[in-house]
Amino acid sequence: MVSREFGTALIINSGHGVLAKVLRTQGMVVTETDYCVHFDAIRCDEDALSSLDQTFDLVIAAAGFETIDDLPGALIAARRVLKPGGMFLAALFGAPSLPSLRMAMAAAQRRSDRYVARFHPEIDVRAAGDLLPRTGFILPVADLETQTLSYGSLDRLLADLRASGATNVLAKRYALTRAELDAARQAFAAMAGPDGRTVETVSLIILTGWAAESA
């Protein structure tokens, strides 16, 4: 949908390199970086890209921005490495995502009266869009794409999240007790429709912004 041609691209958290291969077939010189690093939790290292100011025509945040503690700092760093007139594109999970799972986990915690962190805070599309001009981007656009899924059991949903690497990333985690897991399963099943399946929602925020042209 963008008519401009890009010569150099930076992909942040590109996973298995599939996106990089696609861009290279279009003649781009592609650099990949793991912008987020694992310690006690996933955090953003703003200095990781400090030597690359105004290097790239295109910056793509392929995954992981929803787990960054300092999202404004990450956006500032992404904008700084863009050449004047360059484009930024990001996709991140946001609110509302996994509301049924959240309610099931709340039921589990009420069962044992033990409250621990199990979900990363979510940003909504309006707040995400507001961050773009605040961090120096022009022509900001924030879109929301919502996927509705259905599951026959809580265990199947958890298996999908585990397979996609979307479960708890904290170094200090607290496993569910048998009683908590049973309560969560029961709460999830209680939300099922006539077909016996529980609807779950996943929201994907798409952000685009541009670096201002040089004066």
PDB file of all heavy atoms in Angstrom, residues 7 10 17 40 49-50 61 66 81 90 100 105-106 108 112 133 144 167 182 190 192:
ATOM      1  N   GLY A   7      15.465   1.230   0.484  1.00  0.00           N
ATOM      2  CA  GLY A   7      16.725   0.562   0.181  1.00  0.00           C
ATOM      3  C   GLY A   7      17.305  -0.197   1.352  1.00  0.00           C
ATOM      4  O   GLY A   7      17.900  -1.269   1.190  1.00  0.00           O
ATOM      5  N   LEU A  10      15.596  -2.119   8.822  1.00  0.00           N
ATOM      6  CA  LEU A  10      15.933  -2.729  10.106  1.00  0.00           C
ATOM      7  C   LEU A  10      14.706  -3.465  10.616  1.00  0.00           C
ATOM      8  O   LEU A  10      13.621  -2.891  10.693  1.00  0.00           O
ATOM      9  CB  LEU A  10      16.356  -1.665  11.120  1.00  0.00           C
ATOM     10  CG  LEU A  10      16.570  -2.174  12.561  1.00  0.00           C
ATOM     11  CD1 LEU A  10      17.800  -3.066  12.634  1.00  0.00           C
ATOM     12  CD2 LEU A  10      16.692  -1.010  13.533  1.00  0.00           C
ATOM     13  N   GLY A  17      13.497 -14.975  10.788  1.00  0.00           N
ATOM     14  CA  GLY A  17      14.070 -14.355   9.603  1.00  0.00           C
ATOM     15  C   GLY A  17      13.220 -14.444   8.357  1.00  0.00           C
ATOM     16  O   GLY A  17      13.685 -14.113   7.259  1.00  0.00           O
ATOM     17  N   ASP A  40      15.379 -10.329  34.261  1.00  0.00           N
ATOM     18  CA  ASP A  40      14.290 -10.746  35.134  1.00  0.00           C
ATOM     19  C   ASP A  40      12.946 -10.647  34.413  1.00  0.00           C
ATOM     20  O   ASP A  40      12.001 -11.348  34.724  1.00  0.00           O
ATOM     21  CB  ASP A  40      14.263  -9.899  36.408  1.00  0.00           C
ATOM     22  CG  ASP A  40      15.445 -10.216  37.296  1.00  0.00           C
ATOM     23  OD1 ASP A  40      16.044 -11.291  37.114  1.00  0.00           O
ATOM     24  OD2 ASP A  40      15.761  -9.394  38.151  1.00  0.00           O
ATOM     25  N   LEU A  49      20.697   0.573  19.851  1.00  0.00           N
ATOM     26  CA  LEU A  49      20.675   1.115  18.502  1.00  0.00           C
ATOM     27  C   LEU A  49      21.314   2.500  18.416  1.00  0.00           C
ATOM     28  O   LEU A  49      21.223   3.156  17.388  1.00  0.00           O
ATOM     29  CB  LEU A  49      19.226   1.210  18.012  1.00  0.00           C
ATOM     30  CG  LEU A  49      18.406  -0.080  18.046  1.00  0.00           C
ATOM     31  CD1 LEU A  49      16.990   0.187  17.536  1.00  0.00           C
ATOM     32  CD2 LEU A  49      19.060  -1.167  17.226  1.00  0.00           C
ATOM     33  N   SER A  50      21.990   2.922  19.480  1.00  0.00           N
ATOM     34  CA  SER A  50      22.473   4.303  19.537  1.00  0.00           C
ATOM     35  C   SER A  50      23.512   4.626  18.474  1.00  0.00           C
ATOM     36  O   SER A  50      23.680   5.788  18.098  1.00  0.00           O
ATOM     37  CB  SER A  50      23.048   4.591  20.932  1.00  0.00           C
ATOM     38  OG  SER A  50      24.142   3.721  21.210  1.00  0.00           O
ATOM     39  N   ALA A  61       9.075  -3.223  13.512  1.00  0.00           N
ATOM     40  CA  ALA A  61       9.050  -3.939  14.789  1.00  0.00           C
ATOM     41  C   ALA A  61       8.107  -5.119  14.609  1.00  0.00           C
ATOM     42  O   ALA A  61       6.884  -4.974  14.688  1.00  0.00           O
ATOM     43  CB  ALA A  61       8.583  -3.022  15.914  1.00  0.00           C
ATOM     44  N   GLU A  66       4.903  -5.346  22.707  1.00  0.00           N
ATOM     45  CA  GLU A  66       3.896  -5.357  23.771  1.00  0.00           C
ATOM     46  C   GLU A  66       4.477  -5.773  25.111  1.00  0.00           C
ATOM     47  O   GLU A  66       3.843  -5.580  26.152  1.00  0.00           O
ATOM     48  CB  GLU A  66       2.733  -6.296  23.409  1.00  0.00           C
ATOM     49  CG  GLU A  66       3.083  -7.765  23.363  1.00  0.00           C
ATOM     50  CD  GLU A  66       3.642  -8.191  22.013  1.00  0.00           C
ATOM     51  OE1 GLU A  66       3.726  -7.340  21.101  1.00  0.00           O
ATOM     52  OE2 GLU A  66       3.982  -9.378  21.871  1.00  0.00           O
ATOM     53  N   VAL A  81      16.820   5.959  14.459  1.00  0.00           N
ATOM     54  CA  VAL A  81      17.617   5.225  13.467  1.00  0.00           C
ATOM     55  C   VAL A  81      17.058   5.382  12.059  1.00  0.00           C
ATOM     56  O   VAL A  81      17.681   4.917  11.096  1.00  0.00           O
ATOM     57  CB  VAL A  81      17.724   3.730  13.831  1.00  0.00           C
ATOM     58  CG1 VAL A  81      18.357   3.564  15.199  1.00  0.00           C
ATOM     59  CG2 VAL A  81      16.380   3.029  13.760  1.00  0.00           C
ATOM     60  N   ALA A  90       5.001  -1.096  12.995  1.00  0.00           N
ATOM     61  CA  ALA A  90       5.050  -2.012  14.140  1.00  0.00           C
ATOM     62  C   ALA A  90       3.730  -2.743  14.280  1.00  0.00           C
ATOM     63  O   ALA A  90       2.666  -2.213  13.941  1.00  0.00           O
ATOM     64  CB  ALA A  90       5.365  -1.259  15.433  1.00  0.00           C
ATOM     65  N   SER A 100     -11.295 -13.627  28.088  1.00  0.00           N
ATOM     66  CA  SER A 100     -11.828 -14.843  28.709  1.00  0.00           C
ATOM     67  C   SER A 100     -10.777 -15.508  29.587  1.00  0.00           C
ATOM     68  O   SER A 100     -11.072 -15.974  30.696  1.00  0.00           O
ATOM     69  CB  SER A 100     -12.311 -15.821  27.633  1.00  0.00           C
ATOM     70  OG  SER A 100     -13.375 -15.256  26.886  1.00  0.00           O
ATOM     71  N   MET A 105      -8.427 -16.729  34.944  1.00  0.00           N
ATOM     72  CA  MET A 105      -7.329 -16.627  35.906  1.00  0.00           C
ATOM     73  C   MET A 105      -7.755 -15.869  37.162  1.00  0.00           C
ATOM     74  O   MET A 105      -7.312 -16.171  38.274  1.00  0.00           O
ATOM     75  CB  MET A 105      -6.124 -15.930  35.261  1.00  0.00           C
ATOM     76  CG  MET A 105      -5.417 -16.734  34.188  1.00  0.00           C
ATOM     77  SD  MET A 105      -4.678 -18.280  34.813  1.00  0.00           S
ATOM     78  CE  MET A 105      -5.855 -19.466  34.148  1.00  0.00           C
ATOM     79  N   ALA A 106      -8.628 -14.879  36.986  1.00  0.00           N
ATOM     80  CA  ALA A 106      -9.147 -14.160  38.156  1.00  0.00           C
ATOM     81  C   ALA A 106      -9.939 -15.103  39.047  1.00  0.00           C
ATOM     82  O   ALA A 106      -9.850 -15.046  40.289  1.00  0.00           O
ATOM     83  CB  ALA A 106     -10.018 -12.987  37.712  1.00  0.00           C
ATOM     84  N   ALA A 108      -9.414 -18.279  39.302  1.00  0.00           N
ATOM     85  CA  ALA A 108      -8.434 -19.154  39.945  1.00  0.00           C
ATOM     86  C   ALA A 108      -7.813 -18.482  41.159  1.00  0.00           C
ATOM     87  O   ALA A 108      -7.614 -19.112  42.215  1.00  0.00           O
ATOM     88  CB  ALA A 108      -7.351 -19.548  38.950  1.00  0.00           C
ATOM     89  N   SER A 112      -8.002 -19.378  45.599  1.00  0.00           N
ATOM     90  CA  SER A 112      -6.958 -19.581  46.603  1.00  0.00           C
ATOM     91  C   SER A 112      -6.619 -18.315  47.366  1.00  0.00           C
ATOM     92  O   SER A 112      -5.800 -18.350  48.290  1.00  0.00           O
ATOM     93  CB  SER A 112      -5.689 -20.102  45.917  1.00  0.00           C
ATOM     94  OG  SER A 112      -5.203 -19.136  44.986  1.00  0.00           O
ATOM     95  N   PRO A 133       3.209  10.716  17.854  1.00  0.00           N
ATOM     96  CA  PRO A 133       3.675  12.114  17.754  1.00  0.00           C
ATOM     97  C   PRO A 133       4.488  12.541  18.970  1.00  0.00           C
ATOM     98  O   PRO A 133       5.394  13.373  18.847  1.00  0.00           O
ATOM     99  CB  PRO A 133       2.368  12.911  17.631  1.00  0.00           C
ATOM    100  CG  PRO A 133       1.310  12.025  18.184  1.00  0.00           C
ATOM    101  CD  PRO A 133       1.739  10.637  17.866  1.00  0.00           C
ATOM    102  N   LEU A 144      -6.495  -1.035  14.535  1.00  0.00           N
ATOM    103  CA  LEU A 144      -6.746  -2.190  15.404  1.00  0.00           C
ATOM    104  C   LEU A 144      -7.387  -3.297  14.587  1.00  0.00           C
ATOM    105  O   LEU A 144      -8.406  -3.089  13.920  1.00  0.00           O
ATOM    106  CB  LEU A 144      -7.670  -1.797  16.565  1.00  0.00           C
ATOM    107  CG  LEU A 144      -7.944  -2.891  17.603  1.00  0.00           C
ATOM    108  CD1 LEU A 144      -6.678  -3.207  18.391  1.00  0.00           C
ATOM    109  CD2 LEU A 144      -9.066  -2.469  18.547  1.00  0.00           C
ATOM    110  N   THR A 167       3.464 -17.043  26.700  1.00  0.00           N
ATOM    111  CA  THR A 167       3.139 -17.246  28.104  1.00  0.00           C
ATOM    112  C   THR A 167       4.026 -16.364  28.980  1.00  0.00           C
ATOM    113  O   THR A 167       4.800 -15.552  28.481  1.00  0.00           O
ATOM    114  CB  THR A 167       3.300 -18.727  28.490  1.00  0.00           C
ATOM    115  OG1 THR A 167       4.588 -19.194  28.054  1.00  0.00           O
ATOM    116  CG2 THR A 167       2.228 -19.577  27.824  1.00  0.00           C
ATOM    117  N   ASP A 182      -8.201 -26.093  38.374  1.00  0.00           N
ATOM    118  CA  ASP A 182      -9.575 -26.590  38.251  1.00  0.00           C
ATOM    119  C   ASP A 182     -10.579 -25.440  38.237  1.00  0.00           C
ATOM    120  O   ASP A 182     -11.550 -25.447  37.459  1.00  0.00           O
ATOM    121  CB  ASP A 182      -9.896 -27.545  39.408  1.00  0.00           C
ATOM    122  CG  ASP A 182      -9.193 -28.886  39.264  1.00  0.00           C
ATOM    123  OD1 ASP A 182      -8.730 -29.194  38.146  1.00  0.00           O
ATOM    124  OD2 ASP A 182      -9.090 -29.611  40.275  1.00  0.00           O
ATOM    125  N   ALA A 190     -17.586 -22.226  31.829  1.00  0.00           N
ATOM    126  CA  ALA A 190     -18.862 -21.562  32.123  1.00  0.00           C
ATOM    127  C   ALA A 190     -19.156 -20.438  31.133  1.00  0.00           C
ATOM    128  O   ALA A 190     -20.313 -20.024  31.000  1.00  0.00           O
ATOM    129  CB  ALA A 190     -18.844 -21.019  33.548  1.00  0.00           C
ATOM    130  N   ALA A 192     -18.727 -20.729  27.925  1.00  0.00           N
ATOM    131  CA  ALA A 192     -18.955 -21.344  26.619  1.00  0.00           C
ATOM    132  C   ALA A 192     -20.365 -21.078  26.109  1.00  0.00           C
ATOM    133  O   ALA A 192     -21.313 -20.900  26.879  1.00  0.00           O
ATOM    134  CB  ALA A 192     -18.709 -22.848  26.699  1.00  0.00           C
TER     135      ALA A 192
END
